[in-house]
Amino acid sequence: MKRPLSTIDLHSHSTASDGTLGPAALVAAAAAAGVTVLALTDHDSTAGLDAAQAAAAAHGMRLVPGVEISVSWERHTLHVLGLGIDPQAPALQRGLARLQAQRETRAEQIAARLDKAGLPDALARARALAGAGQVTRTHFARALVAAGLSKNLKKAFQRHLSAGKPAYVKTAWADLGEALDWIRAAGGEAVLAHPARYDLGPATRSRLLEAFRQAGGTGMEVSCGSSEPAEVEQLAAEAQAHGLLGSLGSDFHDPAQHWLGLGRLHPLPATLPPVWSRWGL
Ligand code: AMP
Ligand code: MN
Ligand code: MN
Ligand code: MN
């Protein structure tokens, strides 16, 4: 089912992390798609925000400054969006600097494993694809595809990079509490990204949502670019039960993924208060 256009899209990536469009090109693509409020939420980086902000002004769009923070909770890796942040906030930048250093160390370890799996110079290849941005597993996946070792990104993850696969390197990212502190110190709203993607049973997810709200989280991503309406309904009910506001975002990375467009999102149920009510929208 084709997803309708939402003029609000609060989750997207640029070349500051694992998106393929630069921040200005991303904003232009969002404007062309009909999005009027866009959050740029790169992994553990705010480096694209200035350029995105300037482009948004030129297009008459509203850019919500954001970040997607890597968090370790129990034995799970979670993604927490900070939306409406002040990127200058020192506590936030100190925290992100630590995660960026961990990304560097992890990249070396992933590369050593991929070298063994038949991809020579994996680190140089991933760095070349990442340019000035953060090195992510997506860059290693793209390198595997470019070298003809994997047919597509999905297969590269399935065979090499997903949890439990040979090139997966377990990393202790930020604690949930500290990530939420950084977001709060930057004046932002903490939103749990794509809660359905963590492979948590219902009891664990409920415990997570409770811990998230207790630690100061304000919202939950109820609709993303891969959600179906039944899942949106289910997540909205959980958000409401835990006193969390609703959010939605495509998690756009690459126009080549033509099935996942900017702003192509099922709406939030009308009964769920949205996180953007906090910004008077
Ligand atoms: P990282 O934060 O470096 O571990 O990379 C995480 C990113 O990898 C996610 O944000 C996705 O963009 C991408 N990713 C994770 N799993 C998959 C998958 N199965 N297929 C495609 N991309 C994935
Ligand atoms: Mn990503
Ligand atoms: Mn994510
Ligand atoms: Mn994302």
Side-chain angles (χ1 to χ4, degrees), residues 11 13 43 68 79 193-194 197 251:
H11 189 161
H13 295 273
H43 296 288
E68 183 171 18
H79 287 172
H194 44 66
R197 268 192 229 155
D251 202 5

Side-chain angles (χ1 to χ4, degrees), residues 18 43 70 79 103 106 135-138 153-154 157 162 253:
D18 57 354
H43 296 288
S70 306
H79 287 172
R103 283 190 171 277
R106 183 188 67 153
V135 181
T136 71
R137 282 187 292 160
T138 309
L153 282 196
K154 198 174 164 186
F157 273 92
S162 290
H253 284 75

Side-chain angles (χ1 to χ4, degrees), residues 7-12 26-28 30-31 34-40 49 52-66 83-85 187 189 275-281:
T7 56
I8 300 180
D9 185 336
L10 298 181
H11 189 161
S12 69
L26 172 76
V27 167
V35 171
T36 57
V37 179
L38 176 75
L40 174 60
L49 292 179
Q53 199 69 262
H59 285 279
M61 265 177 67
R62 177 157 176 164
L63 192 277
V64 176
L83 298 179
I85 51 162
E189 307 294 336
V275 67
W276 54 86
S277 60
R278 291 281 174 107
W279 311 314
L281 287 173

Side-chain angles (χ1 to χ4, degrees), residues 103-239:
R103 283 190 171 277
E104 282 295 307
T105 311
R106 183 188 67 153
E108 290 165 17
Q109 295 166 334
I110 293 174
R113 297 183 188 197
L114 287 180
D115 280 328
K116 284 195 195 116
L119 184 69
D121 305 317
L123 187 57
R125 291 173 197 256
R127 275 203 214 287
L129 290 170
Q134 295 305 306
V135 181
T136 71
R137 282 187 292 160
T138 309
H139 297 103
F140 286 105
R142 289 186 188 133
L144 285 161
V145 173
L149 289 168
S150 297
K151 211 171 129 199
N152 53 45
L153 282 196
K154 198 174 164 186
K155 291 212 148 79
F157 273 92
Q158 270 173 3
R159 168 133 183 238
H160 300 280
L161 292 160
S162 290
K165 301 300 157 142
Y168 181 75
V169 174
K170 201 165 161 30
T171 306
W173 300 113
D175 289 339
L176 184 58
E178 57 183 355
L180 298 200
D181 286 348
W182 303 340
I183 292 168
R184 196 175 319 109
E189 307 294 336
V191 169
L192 182 67
H194 44 66
R197 268 192 229 155
Y198 305 126
D199 209 16
L200 307 175
T204 308
R205 188 152 86 198
S206 173
R207 202 152 45 76
L208 166 61
L209 295 177
E210 202 47 43
F212 185 74
R213 201 184 53 87
Q214 288 287 326
T218 50
M220 164 175 153
E221 201 170 67
V222 157
S223 176
C224 72
S226 56
S227 305
E228 294 305 331
E231 184 189 274
V232 174
E233 286 298 322
Q234 170 63 31
L235 292 176
E238 293 179 32

